[in-house]
Amino acid sequence: MPSARPGLSTLTSAEPRDRFCEPPPRQQPWAKLAVLLLALVVLLPPINDLFRYGLLLVAAVLVVTGSVTMRRRRWIIAFVAVALAVSAQIFLAAPRIEEGHNVFLIDGPGGVLEASLPRQAFRLMAAEFDATYPPSHRCDPAVFGCWRGEGFPDRAFAFSADGIYGRPAYSRRVTGIDFSDPVWLRLGFLNEQRYNWNAAVSDIDRAARNRGLTAVLHPWHVRMPWFVAYRFPADFIGSRLCWRGEVLWERAAEQFEVISHPMMECRALTDEDIGRRIFGVAIERGLAMRLAPSPSIAFRQRLEPALAFAGLAGLLVLLVRVRARATVLPFALIAITLVVVVLNDASFIGGVRPFDGGDDGLVYDGYARTMLPQLLAGNLAEALRGGENVFFFTPGMRYLRVTEHLLFGESYLGYLSLILALPFVVFFLFRRFLPLRWAVALIAIFVAVPIGVLFGSSLVQYVKWAARGFADPAAYTFFLAGLVLLVGRSESARRGAGSAFGAGLLLALALFVRPNIAPATGMLLAGAGLGALRQGAYGRAAALVLGFLPVLGMALHNWLYGGAVVLFTSTAAHPGALIAPPSLYLGALGELAQAQLYGAHLERAIRQIGGWLAGPSEWPGMAPINAAAIVIVLRVALWRRADPWLRLLATATLTQQCVGIFYLTAGRYHYLSWLLTLLVVAVWVHGEGVGLFRRAFPGLAARIDKRRRPLPLAQALDRACRLLEPGGRRIRPLP
């Protein structure tokens, strides 16, 4: 983008960069990426437990905020240390237990469960299933949403993403057993697409939200009938298996003893139990199981994570210079975000919640759970098809889920990582256009103060939809990250081809995940590209185009698999989404011209515009405030004295706001529009609004300036700013 005219940058990006008491870290994107990849190797994917995920999280913060050495000798030693840590974890691994699990569904004789499970075990479970769900009371399979018409298990034990690297005999191989809730047991089959039942139709429900004090850590009650089976190696002789509920304990000749415990009770494993199967059954009532290992097994179970910790610590000591002060804000934001996540849905942190029937989350993860086995079987073409010949649902989320399961196994920690990154991206945008004190205040409101739900600018909204598996928060995070790379750290910062390529790629990824943000994406790329060409930065313009080029993959997919020329998805003109087409407004104008104030077209148009101005809160009382905000954004877009990047951002925001005039006005579709609106309005308030207030109300402004004792909130902001940038000059207080 061309810079503003000298002397006229009244509404600038922010005041000059404050001094640091220590030099800022070098960007070093490729070196830091290499360190993070080595950290992933040390932790041995899939990273599906909270201890190793916590290590990865800490490592990411230290690497990103610190500096990476480029000394060859240290890198060689680091590679050796990584190889030793990985080898030690493999050769000193704790013994594994074969685990298999699946939903238990039958509807008459036959089926894969009857053919594959031990005969007596199946009969015992089938009798309990028929007693719990009598055939005479079952739903009509002809009615959409009934479990009898949606599908049954196609294998004795369900596929688990935890087992993709271990060649399990059943679903996966585990080192221990400890669960009182199937959500924390991480049963991936809960979200297979074939079990997309409708609770209003089906007599077997998927799940229900728990209430009460225990609901914080156990937010979901799984109502699907299921079972789990374990087979122990000889290493576990002497260990004790404890359970509450019903267990089928195998004896000789595939005979099973039914043992029910109303309270947690234990039983020792003997040499007769080795190689035999023990089923835990959760059809009529709940199930909890725990393994109390022998001392030798317990030591080996602790050794594996200790080796991972030692390997990662050695890697960081060798390659990373930690800047402790720079980690304060990241760790604070992560801690607050995790609190918000726990209060909303704790199962998002390492569990597998059953997505609601009919929800987008179940659709995307259901597609991914079909694609992943195809990918592992080498059927790349079918895996890339993604379950649809022509995309109807937004395309990208299913592919992100596949990637997430490859790295994080049977968990949603990949999406959690995006949500943890979101506050940083938002803060960088605030800091790019505003002073530090304003940026800290705004990010504190965004993360910790839920008043932002009225304006679509609160982290809790993003957490809510991410926990439900929807694509919107992921797309908005990618978009904002691309925007950060595009606008740079300051108005005068140099932006090379590498940042342009990264910005284009992130914006393409955002559009791939949520095509409805195409207007803002197109405006940003067009403005940035034309600005680069005007300045003669042809390499940057080319890099921007190359980075964005993968977005054509959606159209290529639709043409190759479906023979259709569809740019994004087939829902762009679907009447269920495009509820107010341009013809509606033409009809409304015609009715106005004829003085038909109660015409059908005019009524629908007014209702649509009212819903748009109500914003993500969907409360009509916000319409005047939101309308004023849009007027301010228009003012900034037309103000030639403003930072050119801010003007481009304001123009892109207005373009994206137009989506709400034609399409569905549900809040989650427009969080990005209103967050960008908030950013532009905040910059205007800082650059012009404060001056207008002082001129309009000089007496009130003088009384505010003369206050002797700062408010506690202002004092807290001052301390935070001094902590973040201790060498910086004192920042002018907020008015």
Side-chain angles (χ1 to χ4, degrees), residues 433-468:
F433 294 103
L434 289 164
L436 177 63
R437 197 168 190 266
W438 283 62
V440 172
L442 286 172
I443 197 61
I445 293 173
F446 175 78
V447 173
V449 183
I451 192 174
V453 298
L454 295 175
F455 204 67
S457 305
S458 179
L459 178 65
V460 67
Q461 295 167 312
Y462 294 82
V463 168
K464 169 187 173 182
W465 293 104
R468 289 179 61 175

Side-chain angles (χ1 to χ4, degrees), residues 535-555:
Q535 293 177 339
Y538 302 114
R540 176 174 169 80
L544 197 62
V545 173
L546 288 175
F548 191 66
L549 201 59
V551 79
L552 297 178
M554 287 182 282

Side-chain angles (χ1 to χ4, degrees), residues 318-507:
L318 286 167
L319 298 181
V320 180
R321 178 187 177 190
V322 176
R323 302 174 67 246
R325 191 178 294 273
T327 66
V328 173
L329 178 63
F331 283 128
L333 289 180
I334 288 173
I336 297 173
T337 303
L338 289 175
V339 170
V340 174
V341 170
V342 169
L343 294 178
N344 178 78
D345 188 348
S347 66
F348 195 21
I349 308 178
V352 172
R353 62 161 285 186
F355 291 130
D356 299 334
D359 254 9
D360 287 11
L362 182 56
V363 171
Y364 298 137
D365 202 29
Y367 279 136
R369 293 182 185 280
T370 302
M371 296 159 60
L372 188 54
Q374 294 166 346
L375 179 64
L376 297 175
N379 192 354
L380 184 60
E382 185 62 22
L384 291 177
R385 190 178 73 87
E388 293 181 311
N389 291 332
V390 176
F391 289 129
F392 178 83
F393 295 95
T394 54
M397 194 63 199
R398 68 198 77 184
Y399 298 95
L400 288 182
R401 283 297 194 201
V402 169
T403 306
E404 177 181 50
H405 289 317
L406 288 171
L407 292 177
F408 297 99
E410 208 60 82
S411 73
Y412 299 122
L413 294 174
Y415 206 164
L416 176 66
S417 301
L418 282 180
I419 294 301
L420 293 177
L422 177 61
F424 299 99
V425 178
V426 175
F427 174 75
F428 290 148
L429 275 178
F430 287 153
R431 185 65 184 100
R432 165 63 175 82
F433 294 103
L434 289 164
L436 177 63
R437 197 168 190 266
W438 283 62
V440 172
L442 286 172
I443 197 61
I445 293 173
F446 175 78
V447 173
V449 183
I451 192 174
V453 298
L454 295 175
F455 204 67
S457 305
S458 179
L459 178 65
V460 67
Q461 295 167 312
Y462 294 82
V463 168
K464 169 187 173 182
W465 293 104
R468 289 179 61 175
F470 282 69
D472 311 78
Y476 301 155
T477 303
F478 288 130
F479 179 94
L480 295 171
L483 180 58
V484 168
L485 285 181
L486 197 64
V487 302
R489 296 169 63 90
S490 65
E491 184 181 356
S492 59
R494 296 183 59 186
R495 303 171 187 87
S499 61
F501 179 84
L505 187 60
L506 285 170
L507 291 175

Side-chain angles (χ1 to χ4, degrees), residues 534-585:
R534 183 178 177 183
Q535 293 177 339
Y538 302 114
R540 176 174 169 80
L544 197 62
V545 173
L546 288 175
F548 191 66
L549 201 59
V551 79
L552 297 178
M554 287 182 282
L556 182 62
H557 168 280
N558 295 332
W559 179 66
L560 288 177
Y561 289 101
V565 181
V566 177
L567 186 58
F568 301 137
T569 69
S570 60
T571 56
H574 193 283
L578 184 61
I579 59 176
S583 59
L584 171 67
Y585 293 99

